[in-house]
Amino acid sequence: MPTTDRKAPLGADRDHQVDFDTKVAAKQRIEPRDWMPEGYRKTLVRQISQHAHSEIIGMQPEGDWIASAPSLRRKAILLAKVQDEAGHGLYLYAAAETLGVDRAELTHRLIEGRQKYSSIFNYPTLNYADVGVIGWLVDGAAICNQVPLCRTSFGPYARAMVRICKEESFHQRQGYELLMRMMEGTEAQRAMVQDAVDRWWWPSLMMFGPPDTDSPNTQQSLEWGIKIDTNDALRQKFVDMTVPQAERLGVGLPDPALVWNDERGCHDFGEPDWDEFKQVISGNGPKNAERIERRRAAHEKGAWVREAAIAHADKHRSAREVTV
Ligand SMILES: [Fe+2]
Ligand SMILES: [Fe+2]
């Protein structure tokens, strides 16, 4: 549906706005055919499509390891996990399309560098311990971010999140289980796990976005019920959840400032390198160019599939027209 259809006629704006505000305050869902403020629609399109792009680009760092998984069992698990991420991307593009944007256009925005995706996927995976640490920390951070989004105010986004979160939980557990096994192994395997944790810890904390003081859109997103928690609140939750898991695993977290604070009832921890975050999110991370190039190549290679699917659909549509 074109954007202009959603704009209320002059004079009715206020009534529509009151209806919208009442629904959001009552924690009712806003559905695609409901009136919504243009800023709300734009914010959702940006957030959902960037989330979709992150799922699709996120297939690359781990996908590289499918062919060299250490056992058939690990290969089957990793294959299933990477395939899930493709599914997450598709649910999310479908949710974005209910807001009147076209999936093909969103893909173009990604491969032309006009839209961002999660900074975490611009770091390299150096060995198989990285697969475990991505499952544990990166999917763990995704769960912290996404569980509250099951209650986000836009219906299609919230419903997509329910299914995605169930699968993310499997992703997190398979990662942790892999690391548990490696920690029971040789000294060299334990060192691989520690090295991977040291490399992924800070980028995982950056996944929650900039500090609240540097996140100007957060307040509006909270008021619209798009966001449920602030970036810093989610980051804190993630740290508190992860520290006991690291202890159980027997790995250290690379932050000398990390300590339990009795007064606050949660952990104190150090500040991620926000300059690095800005560099990576602006396209200058270690793997940005490679990730986008591969996405572009896959899109171009898949052109014949899209053309064939459209031709097939057209053929069936005209066959139906004849028989009706
Ligand atoms: Fe996912
Ligand atoms: Fe995942």
Side-chain angles (χ1 to χ4, degrees):
M1 196 185 288
T3 311
T4 45
D5 286 356
R6 268 161 222 293
K7 287 202 169 171
L10 278 175
D13 266 1
R14 242 185 78 191
D15 292 347
H16 285 300
Q17 184 72 52
V18 169
D19 281 354
F20 174 86
D21 292 343
T22 309
K23 270 192 184 168
V24 169
K27 304 207 183 314
Q28 286 172 10
R29 295 267 161 81
I30 304 298
E31 296 297 338
R33 286 175 191 281
D34 294 341
W35 183 90
M36 60 187 79
E38 189 52 21
Y40 176 85
R41 196 190 75 87
K42 278 192 176 150
T43 300
L44 277 170
V45 168
R46 193 186 66 239
Q47 182 168 330
I48 300 173
S49 51
Q50 288 182 1
H51 192 164
H53 299 330
S54 303
E55 301 283 355
I56 299 296
I57 295 284
M59 295 166 71
Q60 291 187 32
E62 290 182 284
D64 285 343
W65 289 92
I66 293 172
S68 42
S71 68
L72 184 58
R73 179 171 177 265
R74 293 292 168 198
K75 193 190 285 277
I77 293 171
L78 186 57
L79 198 56
K81 194 224 171 193
V82 172
Q83 200 168 293
D84 282 353
E85 306 298 6
H88 297 173
L90 298 185
Y91 306 151
L92 288 162
Y93 283 127
E97 283 188 314
T98 69
L99 290 158
V101 287
D102 179 52
R103 191 201 301 184
E105 162 60 18
L106 296 177
T107 301
H108 281 290
R109 287 186 202 170
L110 169 68
I111 58 185
E112 286 161 12
R114 287 186 283 134
Q115 272 195 327
K116 298 185 191 317
Y117 55 90
S118 179
S119 57
I120 192 83
F121 301 118
N122 293 310
Y123 291 86
T125 38
L126 304 184
N127 61 53
Y128 212 78
D130 288 34
V131 169
V133 170
I134 288 177
W136 174 39
L137 296 181
V138 177
D139 290 276
I143 290 170
C144 274
N145 255 329
Q146 292 172 2
V147 166
L149 288 176
C150 296
R151 291 179 283 122
T152 193
S153 58
F154 185 58
Y157 192 25
R159 288 188 286 276
M161 278 302 125
V162 172
R163 183 155 176 192
I164 288 175
C165 284
K166 285 183 184 157
E167 292 175 348
E168 295 300 357
S169 160
F170 152 68
H171 298 174
Q172 205 251 1
R173 276 181 284 174
Q174 67 80 35
Y176 196 69
E177 190 262 349
L178 166 60
L179 297 179
M180 276 289 202
R181 291 299 303 272
M182 287 187 77
M183 292 302 284
E184 289 161 3
T186 62
E187 198 52 53
Q189 284 176 308
R190 281 192 287 277
M192 277 168 75
V193 175
Q194 184 61 62
D195 169 62
V197 171
D198 290 347
R199 284 181 289 107
W200 289 95
W201 174 249
W202 292 108
S204 299
L205 292 191
M206 294 175 195
M207 282 177 71
F208 297 93
D212 294 348
T213 47
D214 195 19
S215 179
N217 300 325
T218 288
Q219 193 49 39
Q220 179 64 79
S221 285
L222 288 170
E223 281 167 23
W224 278 333
I226 295 176
K227 265 185 140 163
I228 310 293
D229 302 286
T230 70
N231 297 352
D232 286 338
L234 291 168
R235 197 169 3 252
Q236 179 73 57
K237 205 166 154 189
F238 173 70
V239 170
D240 292 335
M241 179 183 95
T242 307
V243 168
Q245 294 170 352
E247 280 164 10
R248 176 114 199 275
L249 205 53
V251 293
L253 296 172
D255 179 1
L258 182 64
V259 63
W260 176 256
N261 182 326
D262 238 345
E263 227 167 84
R264 295 199 309 126
C266 54
H267 292 86
D268 291 337
F269 55 98
E271 204 60 37
D273 180 346
W274 294 117
D275 288 336
E276 177 183 315
F277 173 73
K278 280 179 191 153
Q279 281 297 314
V280 176
I281 205 79
S282 331
N284 302 318
K287 289 281 180 180
N288 293 58
E290 186 183 315
R291 301 289 186 239
I292 289 296
E293 199 35 56
R294 273 176 84 177
R295 181 68 194 92
R296 183 206 309 278
H299 185 67
E300 283 165 9
K301 260 169 97 180
W304 71 272
V305 180
R306 292 188 295 278
E307 281 161 23
I310 291 167
H312 182 74
D314 284 348
K315 199 168 110 188
H316 278 258
R317 198 175 302 125
S318 49
R320 264 200 310 274
E321 277 161 13
V322 170
T323 51
V324 163

